[in-house]
Amino acid sequence: MTTAAPQVRVKARRNWPPSQIVLTLVGTAVSVVFLAPLAWALFTSLKSETEAVEVPPHWLPKEWTGQAWSAVVESGNLTNWLLNSLVVSVCVTAVVLVVSALAGYGFARTEFRGRGALMGVVMTGLMISPAVLGVPLFTTVQQMGMVDTYWGMILPQCAPAAMVYILYKFFQGVPRELEEAAFIDGAGRWRVFFTIILPLSRPSLAAVGIFTFISSWNNFLWPYMVTNNPDLMTMPNGIATVMNSYGIQWAQLMAGGLMAGLPLIVVFVFFQRQIVAGVAHTGLAGQ
């Protein structure tokens, strides 16, 4: 009795259609454009200061050195700056999430006189640059005695017109039948909000939280205006102070910039799915 040899299936290799090839090439080109500045900053930070200012410039260091990184660490208080940035960004994110969720749900689900006008006032905040409001905000903070304090850096960043609009659009897309069924069962407005609406809005809340955290972490102008205390400096302000002490040291500047941006890169790597899902759920993807 002979046994037949097992047949091995060979999976046919699919040829890429021309459209897929074009999309891949375009995606690769766009990725190179976005990654090139990061690569340049990294390579420059690994050069000596003399080599960093050579003309014509070159990408790779002739002599690899971590002198710029060690100089930034030794000349600045990185631990304190990192802690200040973390405290400010986390507090701003928490306040913005609470305010945006309550305001967005209120505009989307409650009827009251002047709702359209008030929504228009909130949306006006999208058309005004934060730099224009710098002087009035500083005057207000100064009169309240919050200059050189954490609250002075946190509270003016908690006017989230864009975040209110994002959650407002999401709450409009939640079926009203879910809330009506809960009302019939005896649930109140607050219980519906906390037990039904918030669990459904996790992707959008995650996206809003991540966007707010990144914006607050990168905010240079307002912390620079509202505090002169070296112990309260955030990461961008502290790095700028080190750079201005002895003029522009390009290798140290690139090293400091990478240090300041590293936490944001980590946040994006771990939460990129939440960012994409949040944008998709808000209905802003096609706008």
Side-chain angles (χ1 to χ4, degrees):
M1 181 178 180
T2 59
T3 58
Q7 296 181 353
V8 179
R9 291 185 177 181
V10 179
K11 189 176 181 180
R13 184 177 179 180
R14 295 182 178 179
N15 294 326
W16 282 16
S19 59
Q20 184 68 30
I21 296 176
V22 172
L23 290 177
T24 302
L25 294 176
V26 171
T28 303
V30 172
S31 301
V32 170
V33 170
F34 278 96
L35 292 177
L38 291 176
W40 178 264
L42 178 61
F43 292 144
T44 303
S45 68
L46 297 175
K47 299 176 183 177
S48 63
E49 292 296 343
T50 303
E51 188 179 353
V53 296
E54 285 184 354
V55 179
H58 51 273
W59 277 83
L60 296 178
K62 297 177 182 177
E63 295 183 4
W64 298 76
T65 176
Q67 181 180 0
W69 291 80
S70 60
V72 172
V73 173
E74 293 172 1
S75 60
N77 191 355
L78 289 179
T79 304
N80 195 26
W81 299 340
L82 183 63
L83 180 61
N84 291 336
S85 290
L86 191 62
V87 170
V88 172
S89 300
V90 169
C91 291
V92 169
T93 302
V95 174
V96 167
L97 282 174
V98 173
V99 173
S100 300
L102 292 174
Y105 183 70
F107 282 123
R109 284 294 189 264
T110 58
E111 299 289 342
F112 57 90
R113 182 177 299 177
R115 185 184 69 168
L118 186 58
M119 188 65 185
V121 172
V122 173
M123 291 300 98
T124 305
L126 295 174
M127 299 179 284
I128 300 177
S129 172
V132 176
L133 302 176
V135 174
L137 282 176
F138 179 79
T139 303
T140 303
V141 169
Q142 189 179 35
Q143 292 175 350
M144 297 177 66
M146 293 191 298
V147 176
D148 284 334
T149 63
Y150 279 123
W151 288 116
M153 290 188 288
I154 293 171
L155 292 181
Q157 299 186 57
C158 298
M163 304 309 167
V164 170
Y165 180 71
I166 289 176
L167 292 181
Y168 165 73
K169 294 292 291 183
F170 172 79
F171 292 144
Q172 279 189 322
V174 176
R176 290 182 178 269
E177 289 77 7
L178 297 176
E179 298 172 86
E180 293 172 356
F183 291 148
I184 293 175
D185 291 338
R189 176 68 70 179
W190 286 103
R191 186 175 180 182
V192 169
F193 177 71
F194 285 109
T195 60
I196 297 178
I197 301 300
L198 286 185
L200 291 175
S201 59
R202 286 179 183 176
S204 296
L205 290 174
V208 167
I210 293 170
F211 293 151
T212 304
F213 182 87
I214 292 175
S215 176
S216 178
W217 185 278
N218 286 331
N219 195 342
F220 171 82
L221 181 60
W222 179 248
Y224 180 77
M225 292 178 60
V226 81
T227 179
N228 293 319
N229 188 352
D231 295 331
L232 292 177
M233 285 185 176
T234 58
M235 199 71 175
N237 300 124
I239 295 298
T241 301
V242 172
M243 294 306 105
N244 291 333
S245 299
Y246 305 100
I248 300 179
Q249 305 290 324
W250 290 107
Q252 294 184 32
L253 179 63
M254 297 302 172
L258 290 173
M259 288 181 184
L262 184 60
L264 300 183
I265 296 175
V266 173
V267 168
F268 180 78
V269 168
F270 283 97
F271 295 100
Q272 55 182 326
R273 290 185 178 179
Q274 284 80 358
I275 295 175
V276 175
V279 172
H281 279 77
T282 56
L284 299 178
Q287 297 186 11

